Coordinates of all heavy atoms in Angstrom, one line a residue:
G186 N 8.2 -7.3 12.7 CA 6.9 -7.7 13.0 C 5.9 -7.5 11.9 O 5.0 -8.4 11.6
L187 N 6.0 -6.4 11.2 CA 5.1 -6.1 10.1 C 5.3 -7.0 8.9 O 4.4 -7.5 8.2 CB 5.2 -4.6 9.6 CG 4.6 -3.6 10.6 CD1 5.0 -2.2 10.2 CD2 3.1 -3.8 10.8
R188 N 6.6 -7.3 8.7 CA 6.9 -8.3 7.6 C 6.4 -9.7 7.9 O 5.9 -10.4 7.0 CB 8.4 -8.3 7.4 CG 9.0 -7.1 6.6 CD 10.5 -7.0 6.7 NE 11.2 -8.3 6.5 CZ 12.3 -8.6 7.1 NH1 12.9 -7.7 7.9 NH2 12.9 -9.7 6.8
A189 N 6.4 -10.1 9.2 CA 5.9 -11.4 9.6 C 4.4 -11.4 9.4 O 3.8 -12.4 8.9 CB 6.2 -11.6 11.0
I190 N 3.7 -10.3 9.7 CA 2.3 -10.2 9.5 C 1.9 -10.3 8.0 O 1.0 -11.0 7.6 CB 1.7 -9.0 10.1 CG1 1.8 -9.0 11.6 CG2 0.2 -8.7 9.7 CD1 1.5 -7.7 12.4
E191 N 2.7 -9.6 7.2 CA 2.5 -9.7 5.7 C 2.7 -11.1 5.2 O 2.0 -11.5 4.2 CB 3.5 -8.8 5.0 CG 3.3 -7.3 5.2 CD 4.4 -6.5 4.5 OE1 5.3 -7.1 3.9 OE2 4.3 -5.2 4.6
A192 N 3.6 -11.9 5.8 CA 3.8 -13.2 5.4 C 2.8 -14.2 5.9 O 2.9 -15.4 5.7 CB 5.2 -13.7 5.8
G193 N 1.8 -13.7 6.7 CA 0.7 -14.6 7.1 C 0.8 -15.1 8.6 O 0.0 -15.9 9.0
F194 N 1.8 -14.6 9.3 CA 2.0 -14.9 10.7 C 1.3 -13.9 11.6 O 0.8 -12.9 11.1 CB 3.5 -15.0 11.1 CG 4.2 -16.0 10.3 CD1 5.0 -15.6 9.2 CD2 4.1 -17.4 10.5 CE1 5.7 -16.6 8.4 CE2 4.8 -18.3 9.8 CZ 5.6 -17.9 8.7
I195 N 1.2 -14.2 12.9 CA 0.5 -13.3 13.8 C 1.5 -12.9 14.9 O 2.3 -13.7 15.4 CB -0.7 -14.0 14.5 CG1 -1.7 -14.3 13.4 CG2 -1.4 -13.1 15.5 CD1 -2.9 -15.1 13.9
C196 N 1.5 -11.7 15.3 CA 2.3 -11.2 16.4 C 1.4 -11.0 17.6 O 0.3 -10.4 17.5 CB 3.0 -9.9 16.1 SG 4.2 -10.0 14.7
Y197 N 1.9 -11.4 18.8 CA 1.1 -11.2 20.0 C 2.0 -10.5 21.1 O 3.2 -10.5 21.0 CB 0.7 -12.6 20.6 CG -0.2 -13.4 19.8 CD1 0.3 -14.4 18.9 CD2 -1.6 -13.3 19.9 CE1 -0.5 -15.2 18.1 CE2 -2.4 -14.1 19.1 CZ -1.9 -15.0 18.2 OH -2.7 -15.8 17.4
T198 N 1.3 -10.0 22.1 CA 2.0 -9.6 23.3 C 1.8 -10.6 24.4 O 0.7 -11.3 24.4 CB 1.6 -8.2 23.8 OG1 2.4 -7.8 24.9 CG2 0.1 -8.2 24.3
S199 N 2.7 -10.8 25.3 CA 2.6 -11.8 26.3 C 1.4 -11.6 27.3 O 0.9 -10.5 27.4 CB 3.9 -11.8 27.2 OG 4.1 -10.6 27.8
S200 N 1.0 -12.6 27.9 CA -0.2 -12.6 28.8 C 0.1 -11.7 30.0 O -0.9 -11.1 30.5 CB -0.6 -14.0 29.3 OG -0.9 -14.8 28.2
D201 N 1.3 -11.7 30.5 CA 1.7 -10.9 31.7 C 2.9 -10.1 31.4 O 3.6 -10.4 30.4 CB 1.8 -11.8 32.9 CG 0.6 -12.6 33.2 OD1 -0.4 -12.0 33.8 OD2 0.5 -13.8 33.0
Y202 N 3.3 -9.2 32.3 CA 4.5 -8.6 32.3 C 5.6 -9.6 32.5 O 5.6 -10.4 33.5 CB 4.7 -7.5 33.3 CG 3.9 -6.2 33.0 CD1 2.9 -5.7 33.8 CD2 4.3 -5.5 31.8 CE1 2.2 -4.6 33.4 CE2 3.6 -4.3 31.5 CZ 2.5 -3.9 32.3 OH 1.9 -2.7 32.0
L203 N 6.6 -9.6 31.7 CA 7.7 -10.6 31.8 C 9.1 -10.0 32.0 O 10.1 -10.7 32.3 CB 7.8 -11.4 30.5 CG 6.6 -12.2 30.1 CD1 6.8 -13.1 28.8 CD2 6.1 -13.2 31.2
A204 N 9.2 -8.7 31.9 CA 10.5 -8.0 32.1 C 10.3 -6.6 32.5 O 9.2 -6.0 32.5 CB 11.3 -8.1 30.8
E205 N 11.4 -6.0 33.0 CA 11.4 -4.6 33.4 C 12.4 -3.8 32.5 O 13.5 -4.3 32.3 CB 11.7 -4.4 34.8 CG 10.7 -4.9 35.8 CD 11.0 -4.7 37.3 OE1 12.2 -4.5 37.6 OE2 10.1 -4.7 38.1
C206 N 12.0 -2.7 32.1 CA 12.9 -1.8 31.3 C 12.4 -0.4 31.4 O 11.3 -0.1 31.1 CB 13.0 -2.3 29.8 SG 14.2 -1.3 28.8
S207 N 13.3 0.5 31.7 CA 12.9 1.9 31.7 C 12.8 2.5 30.3 O 13.5 2.0 29.4 CB 14.0 2.8 32.5 OG 14.1 2.3 33.8
T208 N 11.9 3.4 30.2 CA 11.6 4.0 28.9 C 12.8 5.0 28.5 O 13.2 5.8 29.3 CB 10.3 4.8 28.9 OG1 9.2 3.9 29.3 CG2 10.0 5.3 27.5
N209 N 13.2 4.8 27.3 CA 14.3 5.8 26.8 C 13.6 6.9 26.1 O 13.0 6.8 25.0 CB 15.2 5.1 25.8 CG 16.0 3.9 26.5 OD1 16.5 4.1 27.6 ND2 16.0 2.8 25.9
I210 N 13.6 8.1 26.7 CA 13.0 9.3 26.1 C 13.9 10.1 25.3 O 15.0 10.5 25.8 CB 12.4 10.1 27.3 CG1 11.4 9.3 28.1 CG2 11.7 11.4 26.7 CD1 10.8 10.1 29.3
L211 N 13.6 10.3 24.0 CA 14.5 11.0 23.1 C 14.1 12.5 23.1 O 12.9 12.8 23.2 CB 14.4 10.4 21.7 CG 14.8 8.9 21.5 CD1 14.5 8.5 20.1 CD2 16.2 8.7 21.9
P212 N 15.1 13.4 23.0 CA 14.8 14.8 22.8 C 14.0 15.0 21.6 O 14.2 14.3 20.5 CB 16.2 15.4 22.7 CG 17.1 14.4 23.3 CD 16.5 13.1 23.0
Y213 N 13.0 15.9 21.6 CA 12.1 16.1 20.5 C 12.7 17.0 19.5 O 12.9 18.2 19.8 CB 10.8 16.6 21.1 CG 9.7 16.9 20.0 CD1 9.5 16.0 19.0 CD2 9.0 18.1 20.0 CE1 8.5 16.2 18.0 CE2 8.0 18.3 19.1 CZ 7.8 17.4 18.1 OH 6.8 17.7 17.1
W214 N 12.8 16.6 18.3 CA 13.4 17.3 17.2 C 12.5 18.5 16.7 O 13.0 19.4 16.0 CB 13.7 16.4 16.0 CG 12.5 15.7 15.5 CD1 12.1 14.4 15.9 CD2 11.4 16.1 14.7 NE1 10.9 14.0 15.3 CE2 10.5 15.0 14.5 CE3 11.2 17.3 13.9 CZ2 9.4 15.1 13.8 CZ3 10.0 17.4 13.2 CH2 9.1 16.3 13.1
G215 N 11.2 18.5 17.1 CA 10.4 19.6 16.7 C 10.2 20.7 17.8 O 9.4 21.6 17.7
N216 N 11.1 20.7 18.8 CA 11.1 21.7 19.9 C 11.4 23.1 19.3 O 12.5 23.3 18.8 CB 12.0 21.3 21.0 CG 11.9 22.1 22.2 OD1 11.5 23.3 22.1 ND2 12.2 21.6 23.3
P217 N 10.5 24.0 19.3 CA 10.8 25.3 18.8 C 11.9 26.1 19.5 O 12.4 27.1 19.0 CB 9.4 26.1 18.8 CG 8.7 25.4 19.9 CD 9.1 23.9 19.9
T218 N 12.2 25.7 20.7 CA 13.3 26.4 21.5 C 14.7 26.1 21.0 O 15.6 26.7 21.3 CB 13.2 26.2 23.0 OG1 13.4 24.8 23.2 CG2 11.8 26.5 23.5
Y219 N 14.8 25.0 20.2 CA 16.1 24.6 19.6 C 16.3 25.4 18.3 O 15.4 25.6 17.6 CB 16.1 23.1 19.3 CG 16.0 22.2 20.5 CD1 15.5 20.9 20.4 CD2 16.4 22.6 21.8 CE1 15.4 20.0 21.5 CE2 16.4 21.7 22.9 CZ 15.8 20.5 22.7 OH 15.8 19.6 23.8
P220 N 17.5 25.7 18.1 CA 17.8 26.4 16.8 C 17.6 25.4 15.6 O 17.7 24.1 15.8 CB 19.3 26.8 16.9 CG 19.8 25.9 18.0 CD 18.7 25.6 18.9
L221 N 17.4 25.9 14.4 CA 17.1 25.0 13.3 C 18.2 24.0 13.1 O 17.9 22.8 12.8 CB 17.0 25.9 12.0 CG 16.8 25.1 10.7 CD1 15.6 24.2 10.7 CD2 16.7 26.1 9.5
R222 N 19.5 24.4 13.2 CA 20.6 23.4 13.0 C 20.5 22.2 13.9 O 20.7 21.1 13.5 CB 21.9 24.1 13.1 CG 23.1 23.2 13.0 CD 24.4 24.0 13.0 NE 24.6 24.9 11.9 CZ 25.6 25.7 11.7 NH1 26.6 25.6 12.5 NH2 25.7 26.5 10.7
K223 N 20.1 22.5 15.2 CA 20.0 21.4 16.1 C 18.8 20.5 15.8 O 18.8 19.3 15.8 CB 19.9 21.9 17.5 CG 19.8 20.9 18.6 CD 19.8 21.4 20.0 CE 19.8 20.3 21.1 NZ 19.9 20.9 22.4
R224 N 17.7 21.2 15.4 CA 16.5 20.4 15.1 C 16.7 19.5 13.8 O 16.3 18.3 13.8 CB 15.3 21.3 14.8 CG 14.8 22.1 15.9 CD 13.4 22.7 15.7 NE 13.3 23.5 14.5 CZ 13.5 24.8 14.5 NH1 13.8 25.5 15.6 NH2 13.3 25.5 13.3
W225 N 17.4 20.1 12.9 CA 17.7 19.3 11.7 C 18.6 18.1 12.0 O 18.4 17.0 11.5 CB 18.4 20.2 10.7 CG 18.6 19.7 9.3 CD1 19.7 19.0 8.8 CD2 17.7 19.7 8.2 NE1 19.5 18.6 7.5 CE2 18.2 19.0 7.1 CE3 16.4 20.3 8.1 CZ2 17.6 18.9 5.9 CZ3 15.8 20.1 6.9 CH2 16.3 19.5 5.8
K226 N 19.6 18.3 12.8 CA 20.5 17.2 13.2 C 19.8 16.1 13.9 O 20.0 14.9 13.7 CB 21.7 17.8 14.0 CG 22.7 16.7 14.4 CD 23.9 17.3 15.2 CE 25.0 16.2 15.4 NZ 24.5 15.0 16.1
M227 N 18.9 16.5 14.9 CA 18.2 15.5 15.7 C 17.2 14.8 14.8 O 17.0 13.6 15.0 CB 17.4 16.3 16.8 CG 18.3 16.8 17.9 SD 17.3 18.0 18.9 CE 16.1 16.8 19.6
L228 N 16.7 15.4 13.8 CA 15.8 14.7 12.9 C 16.5 13.7 12.1 O 15.9 12.6 11.8 CB 15.1 15.8 11.9 CG 14.2 15.2 10.8 CD1 13.0 14.6 11.5 CD2 13.8 16.3 9.9
H229 N 17.7 13.9 11.6 CA 18.4 13.0 10.7 C 19.4 12.1 11.4 O 19.9 11.1 10.8 CB 19.1 13.8 9.6 CG 18.1 14.5 8.7 ND1 17.7 15.8 9.0 CD2 17.5 14.1 7.6 CE1 16.9 16.2 8.0 NE2 16.8 15.2 7.1
D230 N 19.7 12.3 12.7 CA 20.7 11.5 13.4 C 20.2 10.1 13.6 O 19.0 9.8 13.8 CB 21.0 12.1 14.8 CG 22.2 11.5 15.4 OD1 23.3 11.8 15.1 OD2 22.0 10.6 16.3
V231 N 21.1 9.1 13.5 CA 20.8 7.7 13.7 C 20.1 7.4 15.0 O 19.2 6.6 15.0 CB 22.1 6.8 13.6 CG1 21.8 5.4 14.0 CG2 22.6 6.9 12.1
K232 N 20.5 8.1 16.0 CA 19.8 7.9 17.3 C 18.8 9.0 17.7 O 18.4 9.2 18.8 CB 20.9 7.8 18.4 CG 21.8 6.6 18.2 CD 22.7 6.3 19.4 CE 21.9 5.7 20.6 NZ 22.8 5.2 21.7
G233 N 18.5 9.8 16.6 CA 17.4 10.7 16.7 C 16.2 10.1 16.0 O 15.8 9.0 16.3
Q234 N 15.6 10.9 15.1 CA 14.5 10.4 14.3 C 14.9 9.5 13.2 O 14.1 8.7 12.7 CB 13.7 11.6 13.8 CG 12.4 11.2 13.0 CD 11.3 10.6 13.9 OE1 11.5 10.7 15.1 NE2 10.3 10.1 13.3
A235 N 16.2 9.6 12.8 CA 16.7 8.8 11.6 C 15.7 8.9 10.5 O 15.2 7.9 10.0 CB 16.9 7.3 12.1
F236 N 15.5 10.1 10.0 CA 14.4 10.4 9.2 C 14.4 9.7 7.9 O 13.3 9.2 7.4 CB 14.3 11.9 8.9 CG 13.1 12.4 8.2 CD1 11.8 12.1 8.8 CD2 13.1 13.0 7.0 CE1 10.7 12.5 8.1 CE2 12.0 13.4 6.4 CZ 10.7 13.1 6.9
Y237 N 15.5 9.5 7.2 CA 15.5 8.8 5.9 C 15.0 7.3 6.1 O 14.3 6.8 5.3 CB 16.9 8.8 5.3 CG 17.3 10.2 4.9 CD1 18.6 10.7 5.2 CD2 16.5 11.1 4.3 CE1 19.0 12.0 4.9 CE2 16.9 12.4 3.9 CZ 18.1 12.8 4.3 OH 18.5 14.1 4.0
E238 N 15.5 6.7 7.2 CA 15.0 5.4 7.5 C 13.5 5.3 7.9 O 12.8 4.4 7.6 CB 15.9 4.8 8.6 CG 17.4 4.6 8.2 CD 18.2 4.1 9.3 OE1 17.7 3.6 10.3 OE2 19.5 4.1 9.1
Y239 N 13.1 6.4 8.6 CA 11.7 6.5 9.0 C 10.8 6.6 7.8 O 9.7 6.0 7.7 CB 11.6 7.7 10.0 CG 10.2 7.9 10.5 CD1 9.6 7.0 11.4 CD2 9.4 9.0 10.2 CE1 8.3 7.2 11.9 CE2 8.2 9.2 10.7 CZ 7.6 8.3 11.5 OH 6.3 8.5 12.0
I240 N 11.2 7.5 6.9 CA 10.5 7.6 5.6 C 10.4 6.3 4.9 O 9.3 5.9 4.3 CB 11.0 8.8 4.8 CG1 10.7 10.1 5.4 CG2 10.5 8.7 3.3 CD1 9.2 10.4 5.5
H241 N 11.5 5.6 4.8 CA 11.5 4.3 4.1 C 10.5 3.4 4.8 O 9.7 2.7 4.1 CB 12.9 3.7 4.2 CG 12.9 2.3 3.7 ND1 13.0 1.9 2.3 CD2 12.9 1.1 4.4 CE1 13.0 0.6 2.2 NE2 12.9 0.1 3.4
F242 N 10.5 3.4 6.1 CA 9.5 2.6 6.9 C 8.1 2.9 6.5 O 7.3 2.0 6.3 CB 9.8 2.7 8.4 CG 8.8 2.0 9.3 CD1 9.0 0.7 9.6 CD2 7.8 2.7 9.8 CE1 8.1 0.0 10.4 CE2 6.9 2.1 10.7 CZ 7.1 0.7 11.0
K243 N 7.8 4.2 6.5 CA 6.5 4.7 6.2 C 6.0 4.3 4.8 O 4.9 3.8 4.5 CB 6.4 6.2 6.3 CG 6.4 6.7 7.8 CD 5.0 6.4 8.4 CE 4.9 7.0 9.8 NZ 3.5 6.9 10.4
F244 N 6.9 4.5 3.8 CA 6.6 4.1 2.4 C 6.4 2.6 2.3 O 5.5 2.1 1.6 CB 7.7 4.6 1.4 CG 7.5 6.0 1.0 CD1 8.1 7.1 1.6 CD2 6.7 6.2 -0.2 CE1 7.9 8.4 1.2 CE2 6.5 7.5 -0.6 CZ 7.1 8.6 0.0
R245 N 7.3 1.9 2.9 CA 7.3 0.4 2.8 C 6.0 -0.2 3.4 O 5.5 -1.2 2.8 CB 8.5 -0.2 3.5 CG 8.6 -1.7 3.8 CD 8.7 -2.4 2.5 NE 8.8 -3.9 2.8 CZ 7.8 -4.7 3.1 NH1 6.6 -4.2 3.1 NH2 8.0 -6.0 3.3
H246 N 5.6 0.3 4.5 CA 4.5 -0.4 5.3 C 3.1 0.3 5.2 O 2.1 -0.3 5.5 CB 4.9 -0.6 6.7 CG 6.0 -1.6 6.9 ND1 5.9 -3.0 6.6 CD2 7.3 -1.4 7.2 CE1 7.0 -3.6 6.8 NE2 7.9 -2.7 7.2
Y247 N 3.1 1.6 4.9 CA 1.9 2.4 4.9 C 1.5 3.0 3.6 O 0.5 3.6 3.5 CB 1.9 3.4 6.0 CG 2.1 2.8 7.4 CD1 3.3 2.7 8.0 CD2 1.0 2.2 8.1 CE1 3.5 2.1 9.3 CE2 1.2 1.6 9.3 CZ 2.4 1.6 9.9 OH 2.6 1.0 11.1
G248 N 2.4 2.9 2.6 CA 2.0 3.4 1.3 C 2.5 4.7 0.9 O 3.1 5.5 1.7
V249 N 2.4 5.1 -0.4 CA 3.0 6.3 -0.9 C 2.3 7.6 -0.3 O 3.0 8.5 0.1 CB 2.8 6.3 -2.5 CG1 3.2 7.7 -3.0 CG2 3.6 5.2 -3.1
L250 N 1.0 7.6 -0.2 CA 0.3 8.8 0.3 C 0.7 9.1 1.8 O 1.0 10.2 2.1 CB -1.2 8.6 0.3 CG -1.8 8.5 -1.2 CD1 -3.3 8.3 -1.1 CD2 -1.5 9.8 -1.9
I251 N 0.8 8.1 2.6 CA 1.2 8.3 4.0 C 2.7 8.7 4.0 O 3.1 9.6 4.8 CB 1.0 7.0 4.8 CG1 -0.5 6.7 5.0 CG2 1.7 7.2 6.2 CD1 -1.2 7.8 5.7
G252 N 3.5 8.1 3.1 CA 4.9 8.5 3.1 C 5.1 9.9 2.7 O 5.9 10.7 3.3
I253 N 4.4 10.4 1.7 CA 4.5 11.8 1.2 C 4.0 12.7 2.3 O 4.6 13.8 2.6 CB 3.7 12.0 -0.1 CG1 4.4 11.2 -1.2 CG2 3.6 13.5 -0.4 CD1 3.7 11.2 -2.5
K254 N 2.8 12.4 2.9 CA 2.3 13.2 4.0 C 3.3 13.4 5.1 O 3.5 14.5 5.7 CB 1.0 12.7 4.5 CG 0.3 13.5 5.6 CD -1.0 12.9 6.1 CE -1.6 13.7 7.2 NZ -0.7 13.9 8.3
T255 N 3.9 12.3 5.5 CA 4.9 12.3 6.6 C 6.1 13.2 6.2 O 6.5 14.0 7.1 CB 5.4 10.9 6.9 OG1 4.3 10.0 7.2 CG2 6.4 10.9 8.0
M256 N 6.5 13.1 5.0 CA 7.6 14.0 4.6 C 7.3 15.5 4.7 O 8.0 16.3 5.2 CB 8.1 13.7 3.1 CG 8.8 12.3 3.0 SD 9.3 12.0 1.3 CE 10.4 13.3 1.0
V257 N 6.1 15.8 4.1 CA 5.7 17.2 4.1 C 5.5 17.7 5.5 O 5.9 18.8 5.9 CB 4.4 17.4 3.3 CG1 3.8 18.8 3.4 CG2 4.6 17.0 1.8
D258 N 4.7 16.9 6.4 CA 4.5 17.4 7.7 C 5.8 17.5 8.5 O 6.0 18.5 9.2 CB 3.6 16.3 8.4 CG 2.2 16.4 8.0 OD1 1.8 17.3 7.3 OD2 1.4 15.5 8.4
T259 N 6.7 16.6 8.4 CA 7.9 16.6 9.2 C 8.8 17.8 8.8 O 9.3 18.5 9.7 CB 8.7 15.3 9.0 OG1 7.8 14.2 9.4 CG2 9.9 15.3 9.9
Y260 N 9.0 18.0 7.5 CA 9.9 19.1 7.1 C 9.3 20.4 7.4 O 9.9 21.4 7.8 CB 10.3 19.0 5.6 CG 11.4 18.0 5.4 CD1 11.3 16.9 4.5 CD2 12.6 18.1 6.1 CE1 12.4 16.0 4.4 CE2 13.7 17.3 6.0 CZ 13.6 16.2 5.1 OH 14.6 15.3 4.9
S261 N 7.9 20.5 7.3 CA 7.3 21.8 7.7 C 7.5 22.1 9.2 O 7.7 23.2 9.6 CB 5.8 21.7 7.4 OG 5.5 21.5 6.0
K262 N 7.4 21.0 10.0 CA 7.5 21.2 11.4 C 8.9 21.5 11.8 O 9.2 22.4 12.7 CB 7.1 19.9 12.1 CG 7.0 20.0 13.6 CD 6.7 18.7 14.3 CE 5.3 18.2 13.9 NZ 4.9 16.9 14.6
V263 N 9.9 20.8 11.2 CA 11.3 21.1 11.6 C 11.8 22.5 11.1 O 12.6 23.1 11.8 CB 12.3 20.0 11.0 CG1 12.5 20.1 9.6 CG2 13.6 19.9 11.8
L264 N 11.3 22.9 10.0 CA 11.7 24.2 9.5 C 11.0 25.4 10.2 O 11.7 26.4 10.5 CB 11.4 24.4 8.0 CG 12.2 23.5 7.1 CD1 11.6 23.5 5.6 CD2 13.7 23.9 7.1
S265 N 9.8 25.2 10.6 CA 9.1 26.3 11.4 C 8.0 25.6 12.3 O 6.8 25.6 12.0 CB 8.4 27.2 10.4 OG 7.8 28.3 11.0
P266 N 8.5 25.2 13.5 CA 7.6 24.5 14.4 C 6.4 25.3 14.8 O 5.3 24.8 14.9 CB 8.5 24.2 15.6 CG 9.9 24.3 15.1 CD 9.9 25.3 14.0
N267 N 6.6 26.6 15.1 CA 5.4 27.4 15.6 C 4.4 27.6 14.5 O 3.2 27.5 14.7 CB 5.9 28.7 16.1 CG 6.7 28.5 17.4 OD1 6.4 27.7 18.2 ND2 7.7 29.4 17.7
A268 N 4.9 27.9 13.3 CA 3.9 28.1 12.2 C 3.2 26.8 11.9 O 2.0 26.8 11.6 CB 4.7 28.6 11.0
Y269 N 3.9 25.7 11.9 CA 3.3 24.4 11.6 C 2.2 24.1 12.7 O 1.1 23.7 12.3 CB 4.3 23.3 11.6 CG 3.7 21.9 11.5 CD1 3.3 21.4 10.3 CD2 3.4 21.1 12.7 CE1 2.7 20.1 10.2 CE2 2.8 19.9 12.6 CZ 2.5 19.4 11.3 OH 1.9 18.2 11.2

Side-chain angles (χ1 to χ4, degrees):
L187 289 172
R188 283 163 49 208
I190 292 170
E191 287 177 0
F194 301 102
I195 299 175
C196 296
Y197 297 93
T198 188
S199 59
S200 300
D201 298 287
Y202 283 120
L203 300 182
E205 292 184 337
C206 183
S207 297
T208 304
N209 296 314
I210 301 175
L211 300 176
Y213 179 45
W214 52 267
N216 189 332
T218 65
Y219 294 154
L221 174 59
R222 179 175 294 183
K223 183 174 182 179
R224 295 198 303 270
W225 190 268
K226 183 178 187 301
M227 291 168 62
L228 176 64
H229 294 90
D230 191 79
V231 168
K232 297 190 76 171
Q234 182 70 8
F236 188 58
Y237 296 133
E238 297 178 9
Y239 181 66
I240 285 297
H241 172 82
F242 175 82
K243 285 287 190 174
F244 273 92
R245 168 69 177 79
H246 293 291
Y247 298 100
V249 174
L250 291 179
I251 294 296
I253 292 173
K254 180 182 182 301
T255 301
M256 289 181 64
V257 172
D258 285 351
T259 302
Y260 277 126
S261 298
K262 188 184 297 185
V263 77
L264 291 172
S265 185
N267 289 327
Y269 172 84

